[in-house]
Amino acid sequence: MVALILHTGVGSRIIKKDIEKVRQKLIEKISETGLNMLRGGEDALDVVEKIINIMESSGLFNAGIGSVVQSDGRQRMDAGIMSSDLRCGAVAGVSDIKFPISIARKIIDTTNSICLIGDYAREFGRKYKIPEISKKNSDVKGQSTTNKFIGNTVGAVVLDQNGKLTTGTSTGGLFKALAGRIGDCPMIGAGIYANQFGGASCTGIGEDIIKTTLARYAIFQVEQGYSAQEAANRSIDYFKNTTQSVAGIIILTKNGEYGISHNGKHMNWKYSID
Ligand code: ASP
Protein backbone atom coordinates (compact mmCIF):
# COMPACT_ATOMS: atom_id res chain seq x y z
CA MET A 1 0.00 0.00 0.00
CA VAL A 2 1.10 3.55 -0.73
CA ALA A 3 -0.71 6.77 0.18
CA LEU A 4 -0.26 10.49 -0.07
CA ILE A 5 -1.97 13.67 1.08
CA LEU A 6 -1.10 17.08 -0.24
CA HIS A 7 -2.33 20.50 0.92
CA THR A 8 -2.12 24.18 0.11
CA GLY A 9 -2.42 27.03 2.59
CA VAL A 10 -5.42 27.77 4.74
CA GLY A 11 -6.98 31.12 3.95
CA SER A 12 -9.08 33.34 6.15
CA ARG A 13 -10.67 35.23 3.26
CA ILE A 14 -13.19 33.85 0.81
CA ILE A 15 -11.62 33.38 -2.63
CA LYS A 16 -13.20 33.13 -6.04
CA LYS A 17 -14.50 29.68 -6.92
CA ASP A 18 -12.53 29.57 -10.20
CA ILE A 19 -9.23 30.21 -8.40
CA GLU A 20 -10.02 27.46 -5.96
CA LYS A 21 -10.79 25.15 -8.88
CA VAL A 22 -7.50 25.90 -10.65
CA ARG A 23 -5.62 25.27 -7.44
CA GLN A 24 -7.45 22.00 -6.86
CA LYS A 25 -6.68 20.78 -10.39
CA LEU A 26 -3.01 21.63 -9.89
CA ILE A 27 -2.63 19.73 -6.66
CA GLU A 28 -4.54 16.77 -8.09
CA LYS A 29 -2.04 16.61 -10.93
CA ILE A 30 0.93 16.86 -8.57
CA SER A 31 -0.65 14.27 -6.33
CA GLU A 32 -0.93 11.85 -9.26
CA THR A 33 2.78 12.39 -10.01
CA GLY A 34 3.64 11.61 -6.38
CA LEU A 35 1.45 8.52 -6.35
CA ASN A 36 3.17 7.18 -9.46
CA MET A 37 6.57 7.66 -7.83
CA LEU A 38 5.35 5.74 -4.78
CA ARG A 39 3.90 2.98 -6.96
CA GLY A 40 7.31 2.72 -8.60
CA GLY A 41 8.85 2.00 -5.19
CA GLU A 42 10.38 5.41 -4.49
CA ASP A 43 11.28 6.33 -0.93
CA ALA A 44 8.90 8.57 1.04
CA LEU A 45 11.58 11.18 1.70
CA ASP A 46 12.41 11.43 -2.02
CA VAL A 47 8.77 11.72 -3.00
CA VAL A 48 8.01 14.50 -0.52
CA GLU A 49 11.09 16.42 -1.67
CA LYS A 50 10.23 15.99 -5.36
CA ILE A 51 6.57 16.94 -5.18
CA ILE A 52 7.31 19.95 -3.01
CA ASN A 53 10.04 20.92 -5.51
CA ILE A 54 7.36 20.99 -8.24
CA MET A 55 5.36 23.50 -6.21
CA GLU A 56 8.40 25.53 -5.12
CA SER A 57 9.54 26.00 -8.72
CA SER A 58 6.07 26.67 -10.17
CA GLY A 59 5.82 30.25 -8.93
CA LEU A 60 2.15 29.52 -8.22
CA PHE A 61 2.42 28.93 -4.50
CA ASN A 62 3.78 30.80 -1.54
CA ALA A 63 6.92 28.67 -1.50
CA GLY A 64 10.24 28.76 -3.36
CA ILE A 65 10.16 31.23 -6.25
CA GLY A 66 6.53 32.24 -5.62
CA SER A 67 7.20 33.21 -2.01
CA VAL A 68 5.72 36.39 -0.60
CA VAL A 69 8.03 39.11 0.65
CA GLN A 70 8.71 40.29 4.20
CA SER A 71 8.45 43.88 5.44
CA ASP A 72 11.77 44.86 3.79
CA GLY A 73 10.66 43.56 0.38
CA ARG A 74 12.81 40.44 0.55
CA GLN A 75 11.73 36.80 0.25
CA ARG A 76 12.76 34.62 3.19
CA MET A 77 11.60 31.04 3.07
CA ASP A 78 11.12 28.33 5.65
CA ALA A 79 10.86 24.59 5.05
CA GLY A 80 10.95 21.41 7.08
CA ILE A 81 10.90 17.68 6.39
CA MET A 82 10.62 14.72 8.79
CA SER A 83 10.24 10.96 8.49
CA SER A 84 8.72 8.32 10.77
CA ASP A 85 12.24 7.24 11.79
CA LEU A 86 12.51 10.74 13.37
CA ARG A 87 15.16 11.93 10.90
CA CYS A 88 14.45 15.58 10.19
CA GLY A 89 15.88 18.70 8.61
CA ALA A 90 14.81 22.32 8.21
CA VAL A 91 15.80 25.73 6.88
CA ALA A 92 14.65 29.07 8.23
CA GLY A 93 14.78 32.54 6.70
CA VAL A 94 16.65 31.49 3.56
CA SER A 95 16.65 33.78 0.49
CA ASP A 96 17.27 33.27 -3.24
CA ILE A 97 16.80 29.51 -3.13
CA LYS A 98 14.52 27.72 -5.57
CA PHE A 99 14.15 24.54 -3.51
CA PRO A 100 14.29 25.28 0.24
CA ILE A 101 12.96 21.77 1.02
CA SER A 102 16.00 20.28 -0.75
CA ILE A 103 18.36 22.06 1.63
CA ALA A 104 16.34 20.66 4.54
CA ARG A 105 16.68 17.21 2.96
CA LYS A 106 20.45 17.59 2.49
CA ILE A 107 20.82 18.52 6.16
CA ILE A 108 19.33 15.12 7.01
CA ASP A 109 21.62 13.27 4.62
CA THR A 110 24.90 14.97 5.41
CA THR A 111 24.91 16.47 8.92
CA ASN A 112 24.00 15.82 12.55
CA SER A 113 22.19 19.17 12.70
CA ILE A 114 18.48 19.81 12.16
CA CYS A 115 18.01 23.44 11.17
CA LEU A 116 20.15 26.01 9.35
CA ILE A 117 19.31 29.70 9.08
CA GLY A 118 19.58 32.44 6.47
CA ASP A 119 22.92 32.90 4.70
CA TYR A 120 24.35 29.78 6.32
CA ALA A 121 21.56 27.71 4.85
CA ARG A 122 22.12 29.27 1.43
CA GLU A 123 25.88 28.63 1.58
CA PHE A 124 25.19 25.05 2.60
CA GLY A 125 22.79 24.70 -0.34
CA ARG A 126 25.43 26.10 -2.71
CA LYS A 127 27.84 23.42 -1.59
CA TYR A 128 25.35 20.84 -2.85
CA LYS A 129 24.36 22.84 -5.92
CA ILE A 130 20.76 23.35 -4.81
CA PRO A 131 19.42 25.73 -7.52
CA GLU A 132 19.10 29.40 -6.66
CA ILE A 133 16.58 31.95 -7.84
CA SER A 134 18.17 34.04 -10.54
CA LYS A 135 18.47 37.64 -9.28
CA LYS A 136 17.91 38.82 -12.85
CA ASN A 137 14.62 37.05 -13.05
CA SER A 138 12.60 39.90 -11.60
CA ASP A 139 9.47 38.70 -13.38
CA VAL A 140 9.42 35.55 -11.36
CA LYS A 141 10.31 37.28 -8.10
CA GLY A 142 7.83 40.04 -8.77
CA GLN A 143 5.02 37.51 -8.96
CA SER A 144 5.20 37.06 -5.25
CA THR A 145 3.37 40.26 -4.45
CA THR A 146 0.72 40.08 -7.15
CA ASN A 147 0.32 36.35 -7.49
CA LYS A 148 -3.32 35.35 -7.19
CA PHE A 149 -2.26 32.19 -5.39
CA ILE A 150 -0.84 34.34 -2.61
CA GLY A 151 -0.86 32.86 0.85
CA ASN A 152 -0.47 29.32 -0.30
CA THR A 153 2.01 27.42 1.70
CA VAL A 154 2.43 23.83 0.51
CA GLY A 155 2.77 20.57 2.41
CA ALA A 156 2.53 16.82 1.99
CA VAL A 157 2.59 13.58 3.94
CA VAL A 158 3.34 10.32 2.14
CA LEU A 159 3.54 6.63 2.98
CA ASP A 160 5.85 4.48 0.86
CA GLN A 161 5.88 0.76 0.08
CA ASN A 162 8.18 0.07 3.02
CA GLY A 163 5.79 1.68 5.48
CA LYS A 164 7.93 4.80 5.89
CA LEU A 165 6.06 8.06 6.40
CA THR A 166 7.51 11.45 5.51
CA THR A 167 5.99 14.89 5.99
CA GLY A 168 7.24 18.16 4.55
CA THR A 169 6.16 21.80 4.37
CA SER A 170 7.56 24.78 2.47
CA THR A 171 6.52 28.43 2.67
CA GLY A 172 7.43 32.05 2.13
CA GLY A 173 5.65 32.74 5.44
CA LEU A 174 3.18 35.54 6.08
CA PHE A 175 3.00 38.42 3.61
CA LYS A 176 4.90 41.50 4.86
CA ALA A 177 5.90 39.80 8.11
CA LEU A 178 8.62 41.47 10.15
CA ALA A 179 11.94 41.05 8.31
CA GLY A 180 13.71 38.02 9.73
CA ARG A 181 10.54 36.48 11.10
CA ILE A 182 10.48 32.68 11.11
CA GLY A 183 7.24 30.71 11.17
CA ASP A 184 6.20 27.22 12.21
CA CYS A 185 7.31 25.23 9.13
CA PRO A 186 10.93 24.68 10.15
CA MET A 187 10.00 24.00 13.77
CA ILE A 188 9.73 20.29 14.39
CA GLY A 189 6.58 19.55 16.38
CA ALA A 190 4.95 22.85 15.39
CA GLY A 191 4.50 22.96 11.59
CA ILE A 192 5.50 19.35 10.94
CA TYR A 193 5.89 16.12 12.83
CA ALA A 194 6.21 12.43 12.01
CA ASN A 195 6.82 9.26 13.98
CA GLN A 196 5.92 5.57 13.70
CA PHE A 197 2.20 6.38 14.21
CA GLY A 198 1.72 9.08 11.60
CA GLY A 199 2.78 12.34 10.03
CA ALA A 200 1.23 15.82 10.04
CA SER A 201 1.73 19.09 8.18
CA CYS A 202 0.19 22.42 9.24
CA THR A 203 -0.69 25.73 7.66
CA GLY A 204 -1.99 28.98 9.14
CA ILE A 205 -0.73 31.62 11.53
CA GLY A 206 2.72 30.30 12.39
CA GLU A 207 3.06 32.02 15.75
CA ASP A 208 -0.09 30.31 17.05
CA ILE A 209 0.89 26.96 15.53
CA ILE A 210 4.20 27.22 17.41
CA LYS A 211 2.47 28.09 20.71
CA THR A 212 0.27 25.01 20.43
CA THR A 213 2.92 22.65 18.92
CA LEU A 214 0.09 21.67 16.64
CA ALA A 215 1.67 18.90 14.53
CA ARG A 216 2.99 17.06 17.60
CA TYR A 217 -0.36 17.54 19.34
CA ALA A 218 -2.11 15.94 16.36
CA ILE A 219 0.15 12.89 16.19
CA PHE A 220 -0.18 12.45 19.95
CA GLN A 221 -3.94 12.10 19.40
CA VAL A 222 -3.24 9.30 16.91
CA GLU A 223 -0.96 7.65 19.48
CA GLN A 224 -3.83 7.77 21.97
CA GLY A 225 -6.01 5.72 19.60
CA TYR A 226 -7.99 8.40 17.78
CA SER A 227 -8.51 7.99 14.05
CA ALA A 228 -6.68 10.38 11.73
CA GLN A 229 -9.87 12.41 11.17
CA GLU A 230 -10.68 12.54 14.90
CA ALA A 231 -7.10 13.61 15.57
CA ALA A 232 -7.34 16.40 12.97
CA ASN A 233 -10.67 17.61 14.41
CA ARG A 234 -9.39 17.51 17.99
CA SER A 235 -6.25 19.41 17.00
CA ILE A 236 -8.09 22.24 15.25
CA ASP A 237 -10.63 22.45 18.11
CA TYR A 238 -7.81 22.71 20.63
CA PHE A 239 -5.99 25.24 18.44
CA LYS A 240 -9.09 27.41 17.96
CA ASN A 241 -10.07 27.34 21.62
CA THR A 242 -6.54 28.13 22.78
CA THR A 243 -5.59 30.84 20.31
CA GLN A 244 -8.76 32.04 18.48
CA SER A 245 -6.51 31.96 15.42
CA VAL A 246 -6.62 30.22 12.01
CA ALA A 247 -4.93 26.97 11.03
CA GLY A 248 -5.30 23.84 8.96
CA ILE A 249 -3.79 20.39 9.31
CA ILE A 250 -3.39 17.20 7.30
CA ILE A 251 -2.55 13.85 8.86
CA LEU A 252 -1.60 10.50 7.36
CA THR A 253 -1.23 7.43 9.60
CA LYS A 254 0.95 4.36 9.20
CA ASN A 255 -2.17 2.52 7.94
CA GLY A 256 -2.67 5.04 5.16
CA GLU A 257 -5.72 6.69 6.80
CA TYR A 258 -5.99 10.43 6.44
CA GLY A 259 -7.42 13.33 8.40
CA ILE A 260 -7.94 16.95 7.38
CA SER A 261 -9.36 19.86 9.33
CA HIS A 262 -9.15 23.64 9.24
CA ASN A 263 -11.01 26.62 10.62
CA GLY A 264 -10.34 29.00 7.72
CA LYS A 265 -12.51 29.85 4.74
CA HIS A 266 -10.71 27.51 2.35
CA MET A 267 -7.88 25.03 2.07
CA ASN A 268 -7.21 22.76 -0.90
CA TRP A 269 -6.09 19.19 -0.36
CA LYS A 270 -5.95 15.87 -2.13
CA TYR A 271 -5.67 12.39 -0.69
CA SER A 272 -4.75 9.34 -2.77
CA ILE A 273 -4.19 5.70 -1.84
CA ASP A 274 -3.25 2.63 -3.85
N1 ASP B 1 2.29 28.78 8.55
C1 ASP B 1 2.96 29.67 7.65
C2 ASP B 1 3.74 30.67 8.48
O1 ASP B 1 3.22 31.20 9.42
C3 ASP B 1 2.04 30.42 6.74
C4 ASP B 1 0.98 29.60 6.02
O2 ASP B 1 0.70 28.48 6.37
O3 ASP B 1 0.40 30.12 5.07
O4 ASP B 1 4.85 30.97 8.12
Side-chain angles (χ1 to χ4, degrees):
M1 176 189 54
V2 294
L4 169 155
I5 182 161
L6 195 63
H7 74 100
T8 61
V10 66
S12 48
R13 268 175 296 165
I14 295 169
I15 55 163
K16 286 192 187 141
K17 279 269 166 271
D18 56 330
I19 293 180
E20 208 171 341
K21 265 195 191 155
V22 174
R23 245 185 224 164
Q24 188 62 29
K25 277 221 164 108
L26 250 168
I27 65 162
E28 281 173 12
K29 223 176 123 195
I30 298 166
S31 167
E32 194 50 41
T33 307
L35 200 66
N36 283 333
M37 289 175 194
L38 290 166
R39 284 182 185 126
E42 285 200 46
D43 180 84
L45 200 56
D46 291 334
V47 174
V48 167
E49 181 186 356
K50 285 182 190 168
I51 59 177
I52 290 187
N53 280 169
I54 297 173
M55 298 190 270
E56 289 174 330
S57 58
S58 71
L60 299 175
F61 298 95
N62 177 18
I65 68 173
S67 292
V68 297
V69 293
Q70 294 195 325
S71 59
D72 60 352
R74 193 151 167 71
Q75 292 174 313
R76 287 186 190 83
M77 305 115 168
D78 295 338
I81 188 163
M82 182 171 196
S83 288
S84 43
D85 55 11
L86 304 185
R87 296 174 79 213
C88 50
V91 285
V94 68
S95 296
D96 306 324
I97 290 290
K98 197 166 166 188
F99 299 131
I101 198 89
S102 294
I103 301 185
R105 164 68 195 273
K106 269 279 177 263
I107 292 171
I108 297 182
D109 290 346
T110 63
T111 79
N112 292 322
S113 303
I114 292 180
C115 187
L116 291 179
I117 56 163
D119 291 348
Y120 299 95
R122 192 177 53 214
E123 282 309 312
F124 176 84
R126 266 187 195 151
K127 206 166 113 188
Y128 292 100
K129 307 211 168 2
I130 309 279
E132 298 184 39
I133 297 172
S134 154
K135 287 214 171 71
K136 284 181 218 131
N137 196 349
S138 55
D139 279 357
V140 172
K141 284 191 87 171
Q143 275 182 8
S144 55
T145 47
T146 52
N147 182 343
K148 62 183 175 179
F149 292 87
I150 212 158
N152 270 270
T153 290
V154 295
V157 195
V158 317
L159 177 68
D160 71 17
Q161 280 180 3
N162 296 320
K164 179 171 161 186
L165 279 156
T166 300
T167 178
T169 315
S170 185
T171 186
L174 300 179
F175 182 53
K176 294 277 184 188
L178 189 62
R181 176 258 190 198
I182 290 164
D184 55 296
C185 294
M187 297 194 191
I188 306 303
I192 56 164
Y193 194 73
N195 66 15
Q196 56 178 316
F197 294 90
S201 169
C202 302
T203 169
I205 307 299
E207 285 68 12
D208 297 314
I209 295 172
I210 294 166
K211 287 176 198 165
T212 50
T213 53
L214 194 58
R216 182 66 186 103
Y217 182 92
I219 298 306
F220 187 68
Q221 307 306 307
V222 176
E223 287 172 40
Q224 299 306 298
Y226 291 104
S227 71
Q229 189 53 52
E230 283 166 347
N233 293 342
R234 287 175 68 87
S235 303
I236 294 300
D237 281 352
Y238 162 69
F239 175 83
K240 200 171 56 190
N241 294 337
T242 314
T243 66
Q244 285 79 50
S245 186
V246 176
I249 191 162
I250 55 163
I251 300 173
L252 190 67
T253 68
K254 62 171 195 281
N255 304 321
E257 287 170 9
Y258 79 99
I260 146 88
S261 184
H262 70 88
N263 65 334
K265 293 276 192 284
H266 60 88
M267 176 173 153
N268 290 77
W269 56 276
K270 171 73 183 163
Y271 166 72
S272 312
I273 186 163
D274 192 14

